[in-house]
Amino acid sequence: MRPPARAMLKATGLTDDDLDKPLIGIANTWTEVTPCNFHLRRLAQKVKEGIRARGGTPIEFNTIAVSDGITMGTQGMRGSLVSREVIADSIELMVQSHLFDGLVAIVGCDKTIPGAAMAMARLDLPSVLFYGGSIAPGQWRGQSVTIQDVFEAVGAHSAGRMTDDELCSLENRACPGAGACGGQFTANTMAMAFSVMGLSPIGLSEVPALDPRKDHAAFRCGEIVMKNLQDQITSRHFLTPDAFRNAIVAVCATGGSTNAVLHLLALAREANVPLPIELFDRIAAEVPLIADLKPFGRYMATDLEREGGVALVCRKLFAAGMLVDAPTVIGRTLKEEADEVKERPGQDVVLNIAKPLKSRGAFAILKGDLAPDGCVLKLSGKDIQRFEGPARVFDSEQDTFAACQEGRIQPGDVVVIRYMGPKGAPGMPEMLAVTAALIGAGLGDSVALLTDGRFSGATHGLCIGHIAPEAHVGGPIALLRDGDRITIDVPARRLNVDADLESRRMYWNAPKPRFERGVFGKYIREVGSAAQGASTQPDFDT
C-alpha cells in the first residue's frame, strides 16, 4: 500500500479500480515538429482502448523526436543520432521510475524507432514496438514523389535544370500528410527490421499512417501487450542471435538504409548479443536484392504494404532458406506470419529469389588503409566494383555543399567529408544534402563520396560512410590531403589510399571538442565508435 502515490495518481483521474490493474506505459514519440510523428496522438488513444479492453490501465508519456529531414544540412542534424540515446534513456527512466508492468512504444521518425527498441532491451518487460506507418506518396506531374525528390531537386535547381517555380511546386506536393518518409529509407528499414525480429507486430506496424485500418492496428497493439503480460513474454525473448541475423537478411534483401548497421549494432549491445560488424558483410554477400523500392527502385513503402508487406518479403526469403523461424510479439512465429500472406499474381514489388534485381544485398563492409575498423558502402543502386580518383577533402558538410553548388566538384573526384563522426561532429550527421546535390547536378554516377559521418536512407550513389576510426580521434581519414589517390575495391572489400599517411601524423593535432558542456559535451565523452554502433553503452560482459 502506497497511499501518497495513489493519491497523486487519483489526481490525474485514475480510480481505485484503475490502480488495481496492471499499469502499462505508453511511450508516445508524438510531436508537431515532423509529419513522421504528427499523427501518433490519435494512435495512442486507440492503443489505450486496447489495453483497457484486456484489463490494463494505460499511462501515456512523451519522448523527444529530432527530424532528420528537417534538420538535414544544418547544424541541427548533429542532434539526430544523439536523440536516439536520449529517447532510450527517457523511456528507461520513466518506466523504471514509475514501475510500469509493461510498455507500448509508438514510434515514427528515424531515431525514435531504434531508441525505443534499445529501451525495450534494457527494461526487458512485456512490450510492443508500434510503428506509426509511412506517409502516402506525393503526386507531381503524374509521378509519385517523396522527400528524396525534393533534396535532389535542389541540386538540379543549382545546375540550372529546374526553375524556381518548378522547385516550389514539387516542394508543395512531395509530402501530402502525416507519416514517415515513404521509401525504404531509415524509418521503414528499421520498422521492417524490428518486425522481422519479432519486437513489432507484422501486418500492423506497416499499415500506412493515415490508412483507416491504422486505428484498429493500434487497438490490437494494446491487446497484444496485455496478452504478453499475462504470459510473461518479455522483449529479450525476441532479441536472439537468430533474430538479429534475420533482421540483417531482410534489410539486405530490400535495399535498406545503411543506418541499419549502426542501429542493430547498438541494439545488440543493449541486449548483450555479440554482433560483429563483419557479419553484415557476410550476410549481404549471400542475400540477393529482391524488393524494387526507393531510393534506387520504383516503388514506395505503401506499395509494398499493399502487396503483402514484410510478410511477403519473409515468404520469399523462407522459400530460399535464408531466414530462421523465430517467435514474434503477436504470438505466431515468423514462418507462420509469412505463410499466411496472399501474393497477388503479377505483382513486381517483391521478386522471387531466383530472379532478383541484384545478386547481392544492400551494402558491403570495407576495411583498408582508410578504415582499419570498417566502413559501410551502400550498393543497392550501383554496380560499380572499383573506383579510383583524387581526393577532394573537406572538413565540413557546408563547405562540401557549397563546392558542389559552385561547380567545383568534377567527374572522377573522391569527395571526402571528415570530422563528421560520432565525436567529431558530434552526432554523425547524415550527408543527404550533399549526395542529393551531386545527383541533382548529374554527378551521381561519376563521383564517390567518403565520410566518417552517415548517409540518409534516401541516399543513393557511390557513397561510403561510418569510416572508423573517425577523424576526431586520429583515424587515417584525418591525414588525407587533396590529390591523394583513393581506391575503392568492392570485390576485395578494401578502401585504400596511395599516400604515406603515417609520415603526416606528427603534424596532426587532435581538434578541440566542438562542445564541452551540455548534452553534446556528454555525448562526445561517452560515445563509442561507429563500428560498434556509436553507442554510449559500455562493453557487455563476455
CSV table of all heavy atoms in Angstrom, one decimal, residues 307-331:
chain,number,residue,atom,x,y,z
A,307,GLU,N,1.0,-5.0,-51.3
A,307,GLU,CA,1.2,-6.3,-52.0
A,307,GLU,C,1.5,-7.4,-51.0
A,307,GLU,O,1.8,-8.6,-51.4
A,307,GLU,CB,2.4,-6.2,-53.0
A,307,GLU,CG,2.1,-5.2,-54.1
A,307,GLU,CD,1.0,-5.7,-55.0
A,307,GLU,OE1,0.4,-6.8,-54.8
A,307,GLU,OE2,0.6,-4.9,-55.9
A,308,GLY,N,1.6,-7.1,-49.7
A,308,GLY,CA,1.8,-8.2,-48.7
A,308,GLY,C,2.9,-7.8,-47.7
A,308,GLY,O,3.0,-8.5,-46.7
A,309,GLY,N,3.6,-6.7,-47.9
A,309,GLY,CA,4.4,-6.1,-46.9
A,309,GLY,C,5.6,-7.0,-46.4
A,309,GLY,O,6.1,-7.8,-47.1
A,310,VAL,N,5.9,-6.9,-45.1
A,310,VAL,CA,7.0,-7.6,-44.5
A,310,VAL,C,6.8,-9.1,-44.6
A,310,VAL,O,7.7,-9.9,-44.9
A,310,VAL,CB,7.2,-7.2,-43.0
A,310,VAL,CG1,8.2,-8.1,-42.4
A,310,VAL,CG2,7.5,-5.8,-42.9
A,311,ALA,N,5.6,-9.6,-44.5
A,311,ALA,CA,5.3,-11.0,-44.6
A,311,ALA,C,5.6,-11.6,-45.9
A,311,ALA,O,6.1,-12.7,-46.0
A,311,ALA,CB,3.8,-11.3,-44.2
A,312,LEU,N,5.4,-10.8,-47.0
A,312,LEU,CA,5.7,-11.3,-48.3
A,312,LEU,C,7.2,-11.4,-48.5
A,312,LEU,O,7.7,-12.3,-49.1
A,312,LEU,CB,5.1,-10.3,-49.4
A,312,LEU,CG,5.4,-10.7,-50.8
A,312,LEU,CD1,4.9,-12.1,-51.2
A,312,LEU,CD2,4.8,-9.6,-51.8
A,313,VAL,N,7.9,-10.4,-48.0
A,313,VAL,CA,9.4,-10.4,-48.1
A,313,VAL,C,9.9,-11.7,-47.4
A,313,VAL,O,10.7,-12.4,-47.9
A,313,VAL,CB,10.0,-9.2,-47.5
A,313,VAL,CG1,11.5,-9.3,-47.4
A,313,VAL,CG2,9.7,-7.9,-48.3
A,314,CYS,N,9.3,-11.9,-46.2
A,314,CYS,CA,9.8,-13.1,-45.4
A,314,CYS,C,9.4,-14.4,-46.1
A,314,CYS,O,10.2,-15.4,-46.1
A,314,CYS,CB,9.1,-13.1,-44.0
A,314,CYS,SG,9.8,-11.8,-43.0
A,315,ARG,N,8.3,-14.4,-46.8
A,315,ARG,CA,7.9,-15.6,-47.5
A,315,ARG,C,8.9,-16.0,-48.6
A,315,ARG,O,9.3,-17.2,-48.7
A,315,ARG,CB,6.5,-15.4,-48.1
A,315,ARG,CG,6.0,-16.7,-48.9
A,315,ARG,CD,4.5,-16.5,-49.3
A,315,ARG,NE,4.1,-17.6,-50.1
A,315,ARG,CZ,2.8,-17.7,-50.5
A,315,ARG,NH1,1.9,-16.8,-50.2
A,315,ARG,NH2,2.5,-18.7,-51.3
A,316,LYS,N,9.3,-15.0,-49.3
A,316,LYS,CA,10.3,-15.2,-50.4
A,316,LYS,C,11.6,-15.7,-49.8
A,316,LYS,O,12.3,-16.6,-50.3
A,316,LYS,CB,10.6,-13.9,-51.2
A,316,LYS,CG,9.3,-13.3,-51.8
A,316,LYS,CD,8.9,-14.1,-53.0
A,316,LYS,CE,7.8,-13.3,-53.8
A,316,LYS,NZ,7.3,-14.0,-55.0
A,317,LEU,N,12.0,-15.1,-48.7
A,317,LEU,CA,13.3,-15.5,-48.0
A,317,LEU,C,13.2,-16.8,-47.4
A,317,LEU,O,14.2,-17.6,-47.4
A,317,LEU,CB,13.7,-14.4,-47.0
A,317,LEU,CG,14.0,-13.0,-47.6
A,317,LEU,CD1,14.1,-12.0,-46.6
A,317,LEU,CD2,15.3,-13.1,-48.4
A,318,PHE,N,12.1,-17.2,-46.8
A,318,PHE,CA,12.0,-18.5,-46.2
A,318,PHE,C,12.0,-19.6,-47.3
A,318,PHE,O,12.6,-20.6,-47.1
A,318,PHE,CB,10.6,-18.7,-45.4
A,318,PHE,CG,10.7,-18.3,-44.0
A,318,PHE,CD1,9.9,-17.2,-43.5
A,318,PHE,CD2,11.5,-19.0,-43.1
A,318,PHE,CE1,10.0,-16.9,-42.1
A,318,PHE,CE2,11.6,-18.7,-41.8
A,318,PHE,CZ,10.8,-17.6,-41.3
A,319,ALA,N,11.4,-19.3,-48.4
A,319,ALA,CA,11.4,-20.2,-49.5
A,319,ALA,C,12.8,-20.6,-50.0
A,319,ALA,O,13.1,-21.7,-50.5
A,319,ALA,CB,10.6,-19.7,-50.7
A,320,ALA,N,13.7,-19.6,-49.8
A,320,ALA,CA,15.1,-19.8,-50.2
A,320,ALA,C,16.0,-20.3,-49.1
A,320,ALA,O,17.2,-20.4,-49.2
A,320,ALA,CB,15.7,-18.5,-50.8
A,321,GLY,N,15.4,-20.5,-47.9
A,321,GLY,CA,16.2,-21.0,-46.8
A,321,GLY,C,17.0,-19.9,-46.1
A,321,GLY,O,18.1,-20.2,-45.5
A,322,MET,N,16.7,-18.6,-46.3
A,322,MET,CA,17.5,-17.5,-45.8
A,322,MET,C,17.1,-17.0,-44.5
A,322,MET,O,17.8,-16.1,-43.9
A,322,MET,CB,17.6,-16.4,-46.9
A,322,MET,CG,18.3,-16.9,-48.1
A,322,MET,SD,18.5,-15.6,-49.4
A,322,MET,CE,19.5,-16.4,-50.6
A,323,LEU,N,16.0,-17.4,-43.9
A,323,LEU,CA,15.5,-17.0,-42.6
A,323,LEU,C,15.4,-18.2,-41.7
A,323,LEU,O,15.2,-19.3,-42.1
A,323,LEU,CB,14.2,-16.2,-42.7
A,323,LEU,CG,14.1,-14.9,-43.4
A,323,LEU,CD1,12.7,-14.4,-43.4
A,323,LEU,CD2,15.0,-13.9,-42.7
A,324,VAL,N,15.5,-17.9,-40.4
A,324,VAL,CA,15.3,-18.9,-39.4
A,324,VAL,C,14.0,-18.6,-38.7
A,324,VAL,O,13.7,-17.4,-38.3
A,324,VAL,CB,16.5,-18.9,-38.4
A,324,VAL,CG1,16.2,-19.9,-37.2
A,324,VAL,CG2,17.8,-19.1,-39.1
A,325,ASP,N,13.2,-19.6,-38.5
A,325,ASP,CA,11.9,-19.3,-37.8
A,325,ASP,C,12.2,-18.9,-36.3
A,325,ASP,O,13.1,-19.3,-35.7
A,325,ASP,CB,11.0,-20.6,-37.8
A,325,ASP,CG,9.6,-20.2,-37.6
A,325,ASP,OD1,9.2,-19.1,-37.7
A,325,ASP,OD2,8.8,-21.2,-37.4
A,326,ALA,N,11.3,-18.0,-35.9
A,326,ALA,CA,11.5,-17.4,-34.6
A,326,ALA,C,10.2,-16.8,-34.1
A,326,ALA,O,9.3,-16.6,-34.9
A,326,ALA,CB,12.5,-16.2,-34.7
A,327,PRO,N,10.0,-16.6,-32.8
A,327,PRO,CA,8.8,-16.1,-32.2
A,327,PRO,C,8.6,-14.6,-32.6
A,327,PRO,O,9.6,-13.9,-32.8
A,327,PRO,CB,8.9,-16.3,-30.7
A,327,PRO,CG,10.4,-16.2,-30.5
A,327,PRO,CD,11.0,-16.9,-31.7
A,328,THR,N,7.4,-14.1,-32.6
A,328,THR,CA,7.1,-12.7,-32.8
A,328,THR,C,6.1,-12.2,-31.7
A,328,THR,O,5.4,-13.0,-31.1
A,328,THR,CB,6.5,-12.4,-34.1
A,328,THR,OG1,5.1,-12.9,-34.1
A,328,THR,CG2,7.2,-13.1,-35.3
A,329,VAL,N,6.1,-11.0,-31.5
A,329,VAL,CA,5.3,-10.4,-30.4
A,329,VAL,C,3.8,-10.6,-30.5
A,329,VAL,O,3.1,-10.6,-29.5
A,329,VAL,CB,5.6,-8.9,-30.3
A,329,VAL,CG1,5.0,-8.1,-31.4
A,329,VAL,CG2,5.2,-8.3,-29.0
A,330,ILE,N,3.4,-10.9,-31.7
A,330,ILE,CA,1.9,-11.1,-32.0
A,330,ILE,C,1.5,-12.4,-31.6
A,330,ILE,O,0.3,-12.7,-31.5
A,330,ILE,CB,1.6,-10.8,-33.5
A,330,ILE,CG1,0.1,-10.3,-33.6
A,330,ILE,CG2,1.9,-12.0,-34.3
A,330,ILE,CD1,-0.2,-9.7,-34.9
A,331,GLY,N,2.4,-13.4,-31.3
A,331,GLY,CA,2.1,-14.7,-30.8
A,331,GLY,C,2.3,-15.8,-31.8
A,331,GLY,O,2.4,-17.0,-31.4
